[in-house]
Amino acid sequence: MDYVYAPGKNHLFVPGPVNIPEPVLRAMNRNNEDYRSPAIPALTKTLLEDVKKIFKSTTGTPFMIPTTGTGAWESALTNTLSPGDRIVSFLIGQFSLLWIDQQQRLNFNVDVVESEWGQGANLDVLESKLAEDGGHTIKAICIVHNETATGVTNDLSKVRFLLDKYKHPALLLVDGVSSICALDFRMDEWGVDVALTGSQKALSLPTGIGIICASPKALEASKTSTSVKVFFDWKDYLKFYKLGTYWPYTPSIQLLYGLRAALDLLFEEGIDNVIARHSRLGKATRLAVEAWGLKNCTQKEEWYSDTVTAVLVPSYIDSSEIVRRAWKRYNLSLGLGLNKVAGKVFRIGHLGNLNELQLLGCLAGVEMILKDVGYPIKLGSGVAAASAYLQNNIPLIPSRI
């Protein structure tokens, strides 16, 4: 029973947590087990082998920590860096802001590169800093791949290009919470040293697993890190990896079985097909926004996100009322505007186990809500624009050909 009942199904279109597919729900519907029995290490071994594929890494070492993305952030930082180390970190929205706050509270020397919300990371400033840093005082570059507050995606290949151009040894630490398993992500090819994601985003699981992948360079850096860490210490995991038992403390058995099912679904569809599906969903949503006569918070096409669209509303409309009305009248969950863009944008999440017809239902709901709050919209305009694009671009379902 829902805590606050409404007929039918809740239409969940926040940029995480996302819809959980039925096979994953069924896989998690099980009793507890002894995680020291032979079964759980055997399951964990396959998960560690397969989870590397979502990062597109063959050389990385994965860690599945019972935590959120925030815990994964802390694990990435404290295992590779020491207090006082200089970090260049990009502030482009609410989640990059929160990560920077964590970096500062962990006593790193954070060199913040701030951009207007709606813009991507300023890589010209990064280039200047790398060019001036002949002494290699910069120990890490921290960047959010996909900033969900503003719907901005950064080009990680350009960051790697700059590091290589100046032969700079700084570690590249990437928050891929709302990108990995949905957007193109190539850990090995782009020279990412630590990448991380959360189970509640494109993996389409409940919150509770922070998944990290560390390069050999990052593992080497962890040997000299002096940051205080206990729960997030990679050394504890590596010790139990060698023992073949894998867990330094109790994992969520149900989430492990859910992750197994979620990975199986992703691999059945094919990671590249999953990325292409998200590309279609993102494009269709942006076409609908354009047809409504509204603007994307993201200021340039090169930064458009295929997992979330932040929609700017006219000044006479409070975007928070759109989100409230969606939930109260239409059983539709949309994302609020956060911090600097609170009241100015609402967010449509289009990531995870989601198809095109589900998205069209969301867009129809948004149109009615816009009409409710006094925006002069032509009902059906955005749905028509999205439908025309999707009808020409949706492929046949591979398993049904």
Side-chain angles (χ1 to χ4, degrees), residues 180-196:
I180 291 168
C181 292
L183 306 182
D184 189 19
F185 193 92
R186 311 176 197 179
M187 181 170 175
D188 288 357
E189 182 178 333
W190 294 338
V192 175
D193 291 300
V194 184
L196 60 97

Side-chain angles (χ1 to χ4, degrees), residues 100-128:
I100 287 168
D101 175 64
Q102 185 187 79
Q103 293 159 22
Q104 293 169 334
R105 290 161 70 179
L106 289 168
N107 296 316
F108 300 116
N109 175 16
V110 187
D111 191 345
V112 179
V113 179
E114 186 168 1
S115 298
E116 181 181 344
W117 288 31
Q119 296 181 359
N122 190 329
L123 300 186
D124 291 336
V125 173
L126 174 63
E127 180 164 19
S128 297

Side-chain angles (χ1 to χ4, degrees), residues 143-321:
I143 187 167
V144 173
H145 187 200
N146 189 76
E147 173 56 74
T148 56
T150 55
V152 166
T153 301
N154 288 303
D155 189 337
L156 299 179
S157 67
K158 291 182 179 179
V159 180
R160 171 45 58 193
F161 172 81
L162 292 175
L163 285 166
D164 290 347
K165 178 179 178 179
Y166 293 97
K167 297 181 172 58
H168 202 290
L171 295 166
L172 178 54
L173 310 185
V174 176
D175 169 347
V177 170
S178 62
S179 66
I180 291 168
C181 292
L183 306 182
D184 189 19
F185 193 92
R186 311 176 197 179
M187 181 170 175
D188 288 357
E189 182 178 333
W190 294 338
V192 175
D193 291 300
V194 184
L196 60 97
T197 190
S199 55
Q200 79 280 13
K201 298 286 188 172
L203 274 167
S204 301
L205 285 161
T207 307
I209 310 179
I211 303 174
I212 300 157
C213 197
S215 72
K217 182 179 172 182
L219 287 183
E220 191 63 28
S222 72
K223 296 176 182 177
T224 56
S225 164
T226 61
S227 293
V228 174
K229 53 216 172 255
V230 180
F231 184 76
F232 297 120
D233 197 333
W234 293 351
K235 292 185 181 68
D236 293 343
Y237 276 87
L238 293 171
K239 173 185 174 182
F240 282 85
Y241 286 4
K242 288 181 180 179
L243 293 172
T245 52
Y246 297 103
W247 293 102
Y249 35 69
T250 311
S252 167
I253 301 301
Q254 291 77 13
L255 279 176
L256 294 182
Y257 280 103
L259 178 59
R260 179 67 271 163
L263 290 172
D264 290 344
L265 291 176
L266 286 169
F267 298 152
E268 182 176 352
E269 184 177 357
I271 293 293
D272 289 339
N273 291 330
V274 172
I275 293 167
R277 171 167 55 80
H278 282 85
S279 178
R280 290 193 301 274
L281 296 173
K283 177 69 172 177
T285 304
R286 292 189 293 272
L287 287 170
V289 172
E290 183 181 349
W292 297 332
L294 296 174
K295 292 184 178 180
N296 197 317
C297 180
T298 311
Q299 295 181 16
K300 289 185 180 179
E301 186 175 350
E302 66 186 89
W303 295 320
Y304 283 164
S305 170
D306 286 332
T307 59
V308 56
T309 300
V311 185
L312 288 165
V313 298
S315 58
Y316 62 87
I317 294 175
D318 179 355
S319 66
S320 299
E321 179 57 29

